[in-house]
Amino acid sequence: MKTAKKILQGACGFVLILLLWQAAASAHVFNASLFPTPLQTWQALAELITQNNLYLQIGASMTRYLIGYVIAAVLAVILGLLHGYYAGSWNYVNPLVQFLRPISPIAWMPFIVLWFGIGDIPAEVVIFIAAFFPILLSTVSAVRHIDPVYLKVASNFSFGTLKTITSIVFPAAFPQIMDGFRMACGTAWIFLVAGEMVGAQSGLGFLIVDARNNLRVDVLAATIVVIGVLGLAIDLFMHYLEDLVRKRWGLGIAKTSR
């Protein structure tokens, strides 16, 4: 019942946006050639699907996204577990992390292009930077807030450092680490398109640049809609995974997904 209510509420929000969009187009708030209607956007979306291999473009973007995100997640979790477990080391690293974290991944783009050239790698590096810091910080915080009883149990059983981290620390911290995974997913998706707009020859960012160059504002709007739908799907999927993890550890459903 609650799920159906949430779906209905979400659908009402989308309907309201469509009505406001159509009203603005009908009132000619903006030049008609620069402001496509919902119908024109829908027709452009159909054109992208039938003539521009939209599925291939989505596949290219998702491949870059997964490569950058997975590498960032693995490295951030490993470093986060180590720095969280060895609290003293984090005192040295934290100032550097707080210095680098606020710098937008796009600010690094000139260097990234110079170092890696154009193509897939710049977008993957941008995604890596966008996802790395939220996961690292959430992992360190999760480890440092583990109940000390767990560590005492590991000590009583004479667990070594590696076994303590893999068998005790990581499972205990993982529900909180999932929060970082979910936040990083959204952040990385935002910067994926920006990364693809520099030199990529495929993907959703490439479609935006191509539509801009050809003055196809209807295709531009359709691509933006696709990006939003995929971003929503990723967020819902991560909410689902987070709830599974929290149920597995007996923590209940995440409040942010209610």
Side-chain angles (χ1 to χ4, degrees), residues 27-72:
H28 302 292
V29 175
F30 302 100
N31 189 308
S33 62
L34 302 178
F35 193 78
T37 65
L39 178 59
Q40 290 172 330
T41 302
W42 177 260
Q43 292 171 339
L45 179 60
E47 178 184 332
L48 285 174
I49 294 173
T50 57
Q51 299 180 21
N52 292 75
N53 297 319
L54 178 61
Y55 300 114
L56 295 179
Q57 306 294 348
I58 292 175
S61 290
M62 292 302 298
T63 300
R64 297 180 186 118
Y65 178 77
L66 288 174
I67 290 173
Y69 182 84
V70 169
I71 294 174

Coordinates of all heavy atoms in Angstrom, one line a residue, residues 27-72:
A27 N 2.4 29.5 -23.8 CA 2.4 30.9 -23.6 C 3.5 31.7 -24.3 O 3.6 32.9 -24.2 CB 2.5 31.2 -22.1
H28 N 4.4 30.9 -24.9 CA 5.6 31.5 -25.6 C 6.4 32.3 -24.7 O 6.8 33.5 -25.0 CB 5.1 32.3 -26.8 CG 4.3 31.6 -27.8 ND1 4.8 30.6 -28.6 CD2 3.0 31.6 -28.2 CE1 3.9 30.0 -29.4 NE2 2.7 30.7 -29.1
V29 N 6.6 31.8 -23.5 CA 7.5 32.4 -22.6 C 8.9 32.6 -23.2 O 9.6 33.6 -23.0 CB 7.6 31.6 -21.2 CG1 8.6 32.3 -20.3 CG2 6.2 31.6 -20.6
F30 N 9.3 31.6 -23.9 CA 10.6 31.6 -24.6 C 10.4 31.5 -26.1 O 9.3 31.0 -26.5 CB 11.6 30.5 -24.1 CG 11.8 30.6 -22.7 CD1 11.2 29.7 -21.8 CD2 12.8 31.5 -22.2 CE1 11.4 29.8 -20.4 CE2 13.1 31.5 -20.8 CZ 12.4 30.7 -19.9
N31 N 11.3 31.8 -26.9 CA 11.2 31.6 -28.4 C 10.9 30.2 -28.7 O 11.6 29.3 -28.2 CB 12.5 32.0 -29.0 CG 12.4 32.1 -30.5 OD1 12.0 31.1 -31.2 ND2 12.8 33.2 -31.1
A32 N 9.9 29.9 -29.5 CA 9.5 28.6 -29.8 C 10.6 27.7 -30.4 O 10.6 26.5 -30.1 CB 8.3 28.6 -30.8
S33 N 11.5 28.3 -31.1 CA 12.6 27.5 -31.7 C 13.7 27.1 -30.7 O 14.5 26.3 -30.9 CB 13.3 28.3 -32.8 OG 13.9 29.5 -32.3
L34 N 13.6 27.8 -29.5 CA 14.6 27.5 -28.4 C 13.9 26.8 -27.2 O 14.7 26.4 -26.3 CB 15.2 28.8 -27.9 CG 15.9 29.6 -29.0 CD1 16.4 30.9 -28.4 CD2 17.0 28.9 -29.6
F35 N 12.6 26.5 -27.3 CA 12.0 25.9 -26.2 C 11.0 24.8 -26.7 O 9.8 25.1 -27.0 CB 11.2 26.9 -25.4 CG 10.7 26.4 -24.0 CD1 11.6 26.3 -23.0 CD2 9.4 26.1 -23.8 CE1 11.1 25.9 -21.7 CE2 8.9 25.6 -22.6 CZ 9.8 25.5 -21.5
P36 N 11.4 23.6 -26.8 CA 10.6 22.5 -27.4 C 9.4 22.1 -26.4 O 9.6 22.3 -25.2 CB 11.5 21.3 -27.6 CG 12.6 21.6 -26.5 CD 12.8 23.0 -26.4
T37 N 8.3 21.7 -27.0 CA 7.2 21.3 -26.2 C 7.4 19.8 -25.8 O 8.3 19.1 -26.3 CB 5.9 21.3 -27.0 OG1 6.0 20.4 -28.1 CG2 5.7 22.7 -27.6
P38 N 6.7 19.3 -24.8 CA 6.8 17.9 -24.4 C 6.6 17.0 -25.6 O 7.3 16.0 -25.7 CB 5.7 17.8 -23.4 CG 5.5 19.1 -22.7 CD 5.7 20.1 -23.9
L39 N 5.6 17.3 -26.5 CA 5.4 16.5 -27.7 C 6.6 16.4 -28.6 O 7.0 15.4 -29.1 CB 4.2 16.9 -28.4 CG 3.8 16.2 -29.7 CD1 3.6 14.7 -29.4 CD2 2.6 16.8 -30.4
Q40 N 7.2 17.6 -28.8 CA 8.4 17.6 -29.7 C 9.6 16.9 -29.1 O 10.3 16.2 -29.8 CB 8.8 19.1 -29.9 CG 7.8 19.9 -30.8 CD 8.2 21.4 -30.8 OE1 8.7 21.9 -29.9 NE2 7.8 22.0 -32.0
T41 N 9.7 17.0 -27.8 CA 10.7 16.2 -27.0 C 10.5 14.7 -27.2 O 11.4 13.9 -27.4 CB 10.7 16.6 -25.6 OG1 11.0 18.1 -25.5 CG2 11.8 15.9 -24.8
W42 N 9.2 14.3 -27.0 CA 8.9 12.9 -27.2 C 9.2 12.4 -28.6 O 9.7 11.3 -28.8 CB 7.4 12.7 -26.9 CG 7.0 11.3 -27.1 CD1 6.3 10.8 -28.2 CD2 7.2 10.2 -26.2 NE1 6.0 9.4 -28.0 CE2 6.6 9.0 -26.8 CE3 7.8 10.0 -25.0 CZ2 6.6 7.8 -26.2 CZ3 7.8 8.8 -24.4 CH2 7.2 7.7 -25.0
Q43 N 8.9 13.2 -29.6 CA 9.2 12.8 -31.0 C 10.7 12.7 -31.2 O 11.2 11.9 -31.9 CB 8.6 13.8 -31.9 CG 7.1 13.8 -32.0 CD 6.4 15.0 -32.7 OE1 7.1 16.0 -32.9 NE2 5.2 14.8 -33.2
A44 N 11.5 13.7 -30.6 CA 12.9 13.6 -30.7 C 13.5 12.4 -30.0 O 14.4 11.8 -30.5 CB 13.5 14.9 -30.1
L45 N 12.8 12.0 -28.9 CA 13.3 10.8 -28.2 C 13.1 9.5 -29.0 O 13.9 8.7 -29.1 CB 12.5 10.6 -26.9 CG 12.8 9.4 -26.0 CD1 14.3 9.4 -25.6 CD2 11.9 9.4 -24.8
A46 N 11.9 9.5 -29.7 CA 11.6 8.4 -30.7 C 12.7 8.4 -31.8 O 13.1 7.3 -32.2 CB 10.2 8.5 -31.2
E47 N 13.1 9.6 -32.3 CA 14.1 9.7 -33.3 C 15.4 9.1 -32.8 O 16.1 8.4 -33.5 CB 14.2 11.1 -33.8 CG 15.3 11.3 -34.8 CD 15.5 12.8 -35.2 OE1 14.5 13.6 -35.0 OE2 16.6 13.2 -35.5
L48 N 15.8 9.5 -31.6 CA 17.0 9.0 -31.0 C 17.0 7.5 -30.9 O 18.1 6.8 -31.1 CB 17.2 9.6 -29.6 CG 17.7 11.1 -29.5 CD1 17.7 11.5 -28.1 CD2 19.1 11.2 -30.2
I49 N 15.9 6.9 -30.6 CA 15.8 5.5 -30.4 C 15.9 4.8 -31.7 O 16.6 3.8 -31.9 CB 14.5 5.1 -29.7 CG1 14.5 5.6 -28.2 CG2 14.3 3.6 -29.7 CD1 13.2 5.4 -27.5
T50 N 15.2 5.3 -32.7 CA 15.2 4.6 -34.0 C 16.3 4.9 -35.0 O 16.7 4.1 -35.8 CB 13.8 4.9 -34.7 OG1 13.7 6.4 -34.9 CG2 12.6 4.5 -33.9
Q51 N 16.9 6.1 -34.9 CA 17.9 6.5 -35.9 C 19.3 6.8 -35.3 O 20.2 6.7 -36.0 CB 17.4 7.8 -36.5 CG 16.1 7.7 -37.3 CD 15.7 9.0 -38.0 OE1 16.5 9.9 -38.2 NE2 14.4 9.1 -38.3
N52 N 19.3 7.0 -34.0 CA 20.6 7.4 -33.4 C 21.2 6.3 -32.4 O 22.1 6.6 -31.7 CB 20.6 8.7 -32.7 CG 20.4 9.9 -33.7 OD1 19.3 10.1 -34.2 ND2 21.4 10.6 -34.0
N53 N 20.5 5.1 -32.5 CA 21.0 4.1 -31.6 C 21.2 4.5 -30.1 O 22.3 4.4 -29.5 CB 22.4 3.5 -32.1 CG 22.3 2.9 -33.5 OD1 21.3 2.2 -33.8 ND2 23.2 3.2 -34.3
L54 N 20.1 5.0 -29.6 CA 20.1 5.6 -28.2 C 20.7 4.5 -27.2 O 21.4 4.8 -26.3 CB 18.8 6.0 -27.8 CG 18.6 6.6 -26.4 CD1 19.5 7.8 -26.2 CD2 17.2 6.9 -26.1
Y55 N 20.3 3.3 -27.4 CA 20.7 2.2 -26.5 C 22.2 2.0 -26.5 O 22.8 1.8 -25.4 CB 20.0 0.9 -26.9 CG 18.5 1.0 -26.8 CD1 17.7 0.9 -27.9 CD2 17.8 1.2 -25.6 CE1 16.3 0.9 -27.9 CE2 16.5 1.3 -25.5 CZ 15.7 1.2 -26.7 OH 14.3 1.3 -26.6
L56 N 22.8 2.2 -27.7 CA 24.3 2.1 -27.7 C 24.9 3.3 -27.0 O 26.0 3.1 -26.3 CB 24.7 2.1 -29.2 CG 24.3 0.8 -30.0 CD1 24.8 1.0 -31.4 CD2 24.8 -0.4 -29.4
Q57 N 24.3 4.4 -27.1 CA 24.9 5.6 -26.4 C 24.7 5.5 -24.9 O 25.7 5.8 -24.1 CB 24.1 6.9 -26.9 CG 24.1 7.1 -28.4 CD 25.5 7.4 -28.9 OE1 26.4 7.6 -28.2 NE2 25.6 7.3 -30.3
I58 N 23.6 4.9 -24.5 CA 23.4 4.7 -23.0 C 24.4 3.6 -22.6 O 25.0 3.7 -21.5 CB 22.0 4.2 -22.8 CG1 21.0 5.4 -23.0 CG2 21.8 3.7 -21.3 CD1 19.5 5.0 -22.9
G59 N 24.6 2.6 -23.4 CA 25.6 1.5 -23.0 C 27.0 2.1 -22.9 O 27.7 1.7 -21.9
A60 N 27.4 3.0 -23.8 CA 28.7 3.6 -23.7 C 28.8 4.4 -22.4 O 29.9 4.3 -21.7 CB 28.9 4.5 -24.9
S61 N 27.8 5.2 -22.1 CA 27.9 6.0 -20.9 C 27.9 5.1 -19.6 O 28.7 5.3 -18.7 CB 26.7 6.9 -20.8 OG 26.8 7.9 -21.7
M62 N 27.1 4.1 -19.6 CA 27.0 3.2 -18.4 C 28.3 2.4 -18.2 O 28.7 2.2 -17.1 CB 25.8 2.2 -18.5 CG 24.5 2.9 -18.5 SD 24.2 3.8 -16.9 CE 24.3 2.5 -15.7
T63 N 29.0 2.0 -19.3 CA 30.2 1.4 -19.2 C 31.3 2.3 -18.6 O 32.0 1.8 -17.7 CB 30.7 0.9 -20.6 OG1 29.8 0.0 -21.2 CG2 32.1 0.2 -20.5
R64 N 31.4 3.5 -19.1 CA 32.3 4.4 -18.5 C 32.0 4.7 -17.0 O 32.9 4.8 -16.1 CB 32.3 5.8 -19.2 CG 32.7 5.6 -20.7 CD 32.7 7.0 -21.4 NE 33.0 6.9 -22.8 CZ 32.2 7.2 -23.8 NH1 31.0 7.7 -23.5 NH2 32.5 7.0 -25.0
Y65 N 30.7 4.8 -16.7 CA 30.2 5.1 -15.4 C 30.6 3.9 -14.4 O 31.2 4.2 -13.3 CB 28.7 5.2 -15.4 CG 28.1 5.5 -14.0 CD1 28.2 6.7 -13.4 CD2 27.4 4.4 -13.4 CE1 27.6 6.9 -12.2 CE2 26.8 4.6 -12.2 CZ 26.9 5.9 -11.6 OH 26.3 6.1 -10.3
L66 N 30.4 2.7 -14.8 CA 30.7 1.6 -14.0 C 32.2 1.4 -13.8 O 32.6 1.1 -12.7 CB 30.1 0.3 -14.6 CG 28.6 0.2 -14.5 CD1 28.1 -1.1 -15.3 CD2 28.1 0.1 -13.1
I67 N 33.0 1.6 -14.8 CA 34.4 1.5 -14.7 C 34.9 2.5 -13.7 O 35.7 2.1 -12.7 CB 35.1 1.6 -16.1 CG1 34.8 0.5 -17.0 CG2 36.6 1.8 -15.9 CD1 35.3 0.6 -18.4
G68 N 34.6 3.8 -13.9 CA 35.1 4.8 -12.9 C 34.6 4.6 -11.5 O 35.3 4.7 -10.6
Y69 N 33.3 4.2 -11.4 CA 32.7 4.1 -10.1 C 33.2 2.9 -9.3 O 33.6 3.0 -8.1 CB 31.2 4.0 -10.2 CG 30.5 3.9 -8.9 CD1 30.1 5.0 -8.2 CD2 30.1 2.6 -8.3 CE1 29.5 4.9 -6.9 CE2 29.5 2.6 -7.1 CZ 29.2 3.7 -6.4 OH 28.6 3.6 -5.2
V70 N 33.3 1.8 -10.0 CA 33.8 0.5 -9.3 C 35.3 0.7 -8.8 O 35.6 0.3 -7.7 CB 33.7 -0.7 -10.2 CG1 34.4 -1.9 -9.7 CG2 32.2 -1.0 -10.5
I71 N 36.1 1.3 -9.7 CA 37.5 1.5 -9.3 C 37.6 2.4 -8.1 O 38.3 2.2 -7.1 CB 38.3 2.0 -10.5 CG1 38.4 1.0 -11.6 CG2 39.7 2.4 -10.0 CD1 39.1 1.5 -12.8
A72 N 36.8 3.5 -8.1 CA 36.8 4.4 -7.0 C 36.3 3.8 -5.7 O 36.8 4.0 -4.7 CB 35.9 5.6 -7.4

